[in-house]
Amino acid sequence: MDRPIPPALSQFVLKVHSRCDLACDHCYVYEHADTSWRGKPRAVSEEILAQVANRIAEHARHHRLPTVHVVLHGGEPLLAGPERLRRAAEELQRALRGVSALDLRMHTNGVLLDETFCELFLELGIKVGVSLDGDKAANDRHRRYADGRSSHAKVVRAVELLNRPRYRRLFAGLLCTIDVENDPVAVYDALVALSPPRIDFLLPHATWDTPPPRPGGAATPYADWLDAVYRRWDAAGRPVPVRIFDSVLRTLRGESSLTESLGLAPADLVVIETDGTFEQADSLKTSYDGAPATGMDVFTHSLDDVLQHPGMLARQQGVEQLCEQCRDCPVVQSCGGGLYAHRYRTGDGFDNPSVFCPDLLALVTTIRDREAAVPAPTPTPAELPLDQGDFDALAAGFGGADTVTRLAAAQLDINQELLAAVSEQRIAPSDREAAAAWELLTQLDAEVPDELAGVLAHPYTRPWALGVLEGRVAPAAGLAEIAATAALRARLGRSVTVPLRAGTLRLPGFGSVRLGTSAHHAEVSAGAEGFTVRAGARRLDIGWHEGVDGLTPHWHPVRLFAGEGWSVAIEDTDPLRDCHEWPVAERLAADEAKLWSEDLTGAWSLIRRELPAYADGVAAGLRLITPLHAPDGSDVSAACKDAWGAIGVARPASPEQLALLIVHEFQHVKLAAVLDAVDLYDKADRDRYYAPWREDPRPIGGLLQGTYAHIAVTDFWRVRRETAGLAAERGAAEAEFARWRQQTAEAVEVLLGSGSLTDLGQRFVGRMGETVSGWRDEAVSAGALTAAEDSARRHRTAWKARAEGGAE
């Protein structure tokens, strides 16, 4: 069900300070054609911050954006100070609560970064990208103070701070502006030595009016420089994601670019200056004075207004907005005409190829030809639905909002493919009911595709579709339920006939209506104030917000928990929710629902505060929690491999335990999605393997799932030993950390020695091992360490005895 995506802005550069403490001579803000910075307030005001947040939330709500990306920028954003940065983050979190996940980042020169800022960023979930041009000689060529002093030592100190275990999760990567006078290999080696999670090489800003330096008249010095880096990077096994190379590789495969300087994706970025004015991308400042201006501001214009600005519209048209030379170029799908600003020439504006055109052509063709020459190969993440950065982030046990959002998109694609398979394979010519529902779905896909996609993304769509394809379930009811819910979400007035399930009308993700009638079908239609259900002689008029308190006997809407940056459904209504191994709870009474909300508030606060490496992924991907029934009061939780975005949980005794269960089970959800994309182990392996936390041996898939989930469990206790309130609780948490660290490390060794992992599986589990190994050197008390080792020794001895007894 392919469809065009309506234009929307999802990336926002928020200027919090308009001045800088360095005087870099290649800076596009202060050293190029645009001089508007002189008239901007030094720091953004609280009033503007609040209105910016409101405008972004308004836009996100209107376009149903799953994630909003905001970069705090300048000038130098750290000059804004901790309190202003806190206010910026809190305003954005306030406005986007229950609307979209917030991916909040900062680009800084790093010279002011210290532990005070890092503690603030840990609290607020702000990731940090640092500008650094290589070793001291390379960096000092441009990045100096106004009096000529070097900034290199302070920037390296900032990076070392971000690489501390406590702050590593904040580190977003290094940004390096290319100077072809610098030794490319020396620059690359200096950056890689700092262990960044990503490197972003940037072409220096230039136009046809002010072209880039080409020493000695070289035809393609920038391509040559990057090719030297590429060869070094490739020979080393591509140890770190490099955005420009990954983007070229992705676009050569027909996928999207990771940077606006390559590819044909529509522009989705806007800049908000310290005075509240909207501007186009900062790179336009290199073109001519006033080039980025839109004449709009946050108080009088919406972001949809900004989208209609001619400069923004020009960048929504893909290949059609490029000049004739670019349209005819064999690598246009990868190059995309280069960065928009680099096409400028006085007289004909941006209707030109990039001033770096020869370099981009040479870079893309060289990479293309080199990749084609490599003999075929064991697959790597770059050749699969997961790109290298996503694969490595997930393999390490984490995965932020962007990565999880891409997993969710891939899962929606699977649901859409399954739905198409249902129509092709399971709708018999005689099944008029199913055929009519399918015809309505195709109409809705043309009329309200986003609403239909929202229903298809429901976690229990896939289990239903698989049941139909396996012949266990008839198709008509599920097809009609999807169609009716999409029509209700879109507030369409048309009537939809839906088969009932034992007198219950199922509206996936919306709720259920208990009709208590002998009728087999219901008619559902939307109105301005609510919707109407007719079944036999019975008619129910239901308000859109009716029944949330649980007091309505017939209408059971799905309750939503809206935390700061996360909205999740408490699904206690769906008849298809029973796929989590454990029995599901009945509809929650109002007082129990209130307890769930209170515990989720505490659990989410803990996850955001203490486990930010997991929080963004949870916010982007966990959309539904199904309450389970545990008659003995035990901590029961489960994930269903076919229900992306859902977990089942029996409400535990404390919010802290609920937080642990959430991050634990969401690990299973992520790994199931990874396994949909790649094979990590031999599916034909029928052996059983030692699991350090269980008495029974586990199949290779079960051991992998358990080990991956226990990375989060280990990390939870690792953090709680420092943050738990009472000394006794901290001591207990330390013991748990030592035990789970020991067990998870052992399980990684079993997996790596199994002989059943694919090459990608070896790489994935190797990254898991790196994460756990990073914790092995963290000090714990002698008592906790001894207890963990003794427990592991006893478990291995008992397990071996059972295994040998079974063999006899």
Side-chain angles (χ1 to χ4, degrees):
M1 294 189 177
D2 294 331
R3 57 191 184 277
I5 299 174
L9 296 164
S10 62
Q11 300 189 65
F12 305 90
V13 174
L14 174 57
K15 300 295 188 72
V16 293
H17 203 281
S18 67
R19 302 297 189 269
C20 190
D21 43 3
L22 294 183
C24 308
D25 59 17
H26 55 15
C27 179
Y28 55 80
V29 176
Y30 307 110
E31 300 294 336
H32 283 273
D34 186 76
T35 60
S36 61
W37 62 272
R38 299 180 188 278
K40 305 293 185 190
R42 286 182 175 269
V44 66
S45 70
E46 293 188 0
E47 180 186 19
I48 289 173
L49 287 175
Q51 184 63 7
V52 166
N54 292 338
R55 285 297 191 195
I56 291 175
E58 171 188 66
H59 190 74
R61 185 179 295 106
H62 179 240
H63 291 275
R64 300 181 183 274
L65 298 178
T67 304
V68 165
H69 309 275
V70 180
V71 178
L72 304 178
H73 212 287
E76 170 49 49
L78 294 180
L79 289 173
E83 291 310 310
R84 200 176 305 268
L85 293 175
R86 174 185 291 279
R87 185 60 180 267
E90 290 178 346
E91 286 291 350
L92 289 164
Q93 291 164 350
R94 169 195 59 77
L96 288 164
R97 187 176 301 123
V99 177
S100 299
L102 173 62
D103 175 27
L104 187 56
R105 297 172 183 249
M106 170 183 292
H107 288 171
T108 174
N109 61 35
V111 298
L112 293 178
L113 191 68
D114 59 15
E115 292 186 5
T116 299
F117 277 119
C118 286
E119 289 296 323
L120 177 70
F121 299 158
L122 269 183
E123 176 189 346
L124 299 173
I126 301 175
K127 298 182 178 66
V128 183
V130 178
S131 295
L132 181 67
D133 287 350
D135 57 15
K136 185 176 186 300
N139 195 70
D140 286 354
R141 192 183 291 274
H142 301 286
R143 296 188 183 277
R144 290 179 173 270
Y145 288 92
D147 60 7
R149 286 179 297 128
S150 170
S151 65
H152 184 261
K154 290 185 176 180
V155 181
V156 170
R157 187 174 62 206
V159 174
E160 291 172 346
L161 180 62
L162 289 171
N163 269 324
R164 290 184 190 174
R166 179 169 178 79
Y167 303 133
R168 174 69 184 184
R169 67 193 68 178
L170 301 176
F171 195 7
L174 296 175
L175 295 84
C176 171
T177 299
I178 297 167
D179 185 330
V180 291
E181 297 283 3
N182 289 327
D183 181 329
V185 172
V187 168
Y188 169 77
D189 286 350
L191 297 178
V192 170
L194 294 171
S195 302
R198 184 183 293 276
I199 298 174
D200 203 354
F201 288 109
L202 309 174
L203 291 169
H205 286 311
T207 69
W208 289 101
D209 292 349
T210 56
R214 296 186 180 277
T220 58
Y222 296 90
D224 298 341
W225 196 95
L226 283 165
D227 185 54
V229 174
Y230 184 91
R231 284 184 278 113
R232 182 76 161 188
W233 175 70
D234 192 45
R238 304 180 181 184
V240 58
V242 177
R243 193 186 303 269
I244 192 168
F245 300 152
D246 290 338
S247 293
V248 171
L249 292 167
R250 286 172 60 90
T251 55
L252 286 172
R253 298 191 306 270
E255 301 172 20
S256 62
S257 171
L258 302 173
T259 171
E260 66 168 331
S261 61
L262 293 170
L264 291 167
D268 66 347
L269 176 147
V270 70
V271 176
I272 303 108
E273 289 285 352
T274 54
D275 61 356
T277 54
F278 290 119
E279 290 196 349
Q280 300 175 72
D282 264 350
S283 55
L284 286 170
K285 293 180 183 292
T286 197
S287 305
Y288 59 89
D289 201 4
T294 65
M296 303 182 195
D297 65 75
V298 295
F299 294 104
T300 54
H301 300 90
S302 70
L303 285 160
D304 279 346
D305 293 333
V306 178
L307 272 173
Q308 298 305 309
H309 184 273
M312 297 296 297
L313 290 174
R315 302 170 67 193
Q316 301 290 328
Q317 300 164 17
V319 73
E320 295 304 317
Q321 53 98 15
L322 299 178
C323 69
E324 183 177 357
Q325 179 181 334
C326 289
R327 292 198 300 270
D328 294 338
C329 179
V331 300
V332 66
Q333 296 296 326
S334 287
C335 169
L339 193 67
Y340 188 70
H342 294 173
R343 305 173 202 166
Y344 181 76
R345 188 197 318 258
T346 300
D348 48 14
F350 299 95
D351 190 25
N352 304 288
S354 168
V355 72
F356 291 100
C357 176
D359 298 280
L360 293 172
L361 176 61
L363 177 68
V364 173
T365 54
T366 299
I367 291 176
R368 180 196 63 195
D369 296 345
R370 186 175 289 119
E371 291 291 306
V374 175
T378 301
T380 66
E383 295 163 330
L384 293 158
L386 296 171
D387 70 23
Q388 182 170 308
D390 289 342
F391 184 89
D392 288 343
L394 291 163
F398 308 112
D402 288 351
T403 295
V404 173
T405 297
R406 284 188 282 272
L407 284 183
Q411 291 292 301
L412 175 59
D413 288 343
I414 291 172
N415 286 358
Q416 291 172 327
E417 291 167 3
L418 288 172
L419 188 65
V422 166
S423 74
E424 294 168 3
Q425 301 174 27
R426 291 296 175 180
I427 299 181
S430 59
D431 192 345
R432 296 182 180 179
E433 195 169 61
W438 175 253
E439 177 63 26
L440 178 56
L441 282 175
T442 60
Q443 295 172 18
L444 292 171
D445 188 44
E447 295 174 23
V448 287
D450 288 341
E451 302 298 348
L452 179 57
V455 182
L456 292 180
H458 188 265
Y460 300 132
T461 296
R462 185 171 173 183
W464 163 80
L466 291 173
V468 174
L469 293 171
E470 292 164 5
R472 295 183 285 105
V473 179
L479 292 171
E481 290 162 350
I482 293 169
T485 308
L488 289 180
R489 283 170 58 114
R491 303 294 199 262
L492 298 181
R494 71 182 61 184
S495 179
V496 182
T497 301
V498 185
L500 299 179
R501 298 175 183 268
T504 296
L505 170 65
R506 173 182 179 258
L507 299 169
F510 215 65
S512 64
V513 184
R514 306 291 176 89
L515 290 162
T517 175
S518 60
H520 297 291
H521 295 80
E523 297 286 330
V524 185
S525 58
E529 303 300 325
F531 64 101
T532 298
V533 179
R534 296 179 178 86
R538 188 169 190 187
R539 168 178 171 149
L540 295 174
D541 293 308
I542 300 169
W544 291 121
H545 304 292
E546 184 179 342
V548 176
D549 58 4
L551 300 179
T552 305
H554 48 269
W555 168 228
H556 293 171
V558 173
R559 299 181 176 103
L560 290 177
F561 165 78
E564 189 167 336
W566 181 39
S567 178
V568 66
I570 308 302
E571 178 55 272
D572 57 357
T573 72
D574 195 323
L576 303 187
R577 70 191 187 276
D578 193 3
C579 66
H580 293 285
E581 299 183 15
W582 296 88
V584 298
E586 294 299 319
R587 173 69 168 177
L588 301 178
D591 56 348
E592 177 67 8
K594 182 179 179 182
L595 291 174
W596 265 98
S597 181
E598 291 172 353
D599 284 358
L600 278 170
T601 298
W604 180 236
S605 176
L606 185 151
I607 292 170
R608 288 184 65 252
R609 183 178 64 253
E610 300 183 11
L611 299 166
Y614 305 88
D616 288 349
V618 169
L622 183 55
R623 56 190 308 239
L624 184 156
I625 296 176
T626 289
L628 300 179
H629 177 59
D632 59 356
S634 58
D635 289 339
V636 167
S637 63
C640 171
K641 70 181 180 64
D642 294 321
W644 162 262
I647 63 172
V649 177
R651 188 174 65 82
S654 70
E656 293 78 12
Q657 189 66 15
L658 181 56
L660 172 59
L661 295 178
I662 288 171
V663 295
H664 173 188
E665 294 302 338
F666 194 63
Q667 294 289 94
H668 289 300
V669 173
K670 290 187 295 184
L671 183 55
V674 172
L675 291 169
D676 280 336
V678 297
D679 288 329
L680 298 181
Y681 58 87
D682 180 3
K683 300 292 180 61
D685 182 1
R686 296 292 180 266
D687 288 345
R688 293 293 186 268
Y689 297 90
Y690 171 68
W693 50 85
R694 291 184 63 130
E695 296 183 359
D696 56 326
R698 301 292 292 152
I700 188 71
L703 180 61
L704 176 61
Q705 282 280 358
T707 309
Y708 191 72
H710 290 144
I711 287 177
V713 173
T714 306
D715 210 0
F716 175 88
W717 292 116
R718 170 178 168 268
V719 174
R720 290 298 292 168
R721 69 196 169 119
E722 298 179 357
T723 61
L726 301 176
E729 293 173 340
R730 293 194 296 275
E734 182 180 53
E736 289 292 303
F737 168 58
R739 179 169 70 92
W740 284 111
R741 180 179 67 177
Q742 175 82 24
Q743 292 180 349
T744 308
E746 281 191 79
V748 167
E749 292 175 4
V750 173
L751 287 167
L752 290 173
S754 68
S756 190
L757 299 179
T758 64
D759 288 344
L760 281 177
Q762 287 281 343
R763 177 173 171 175
F764 192 91
V765 176
R767 289 284 178 139
M768 291 165 56
E770 289 174 13
T771 296
V772 179
S773 294
W775 298 333
R776 292 302 293 268
D777 294 333
E778 294 189 18
V780 297
S781 68
L785 185 60
T786 300
E789 291 173 345
D790 287 348
S791 174
R793 191 179 303 110
R794 287 194 301 271
H795 186 82
R796 284 193 298 270
T797 301
W799 192 91
K800 184 177 179 181
R802 282 192 298 271
E804 290 173 349
E808 294 173 357

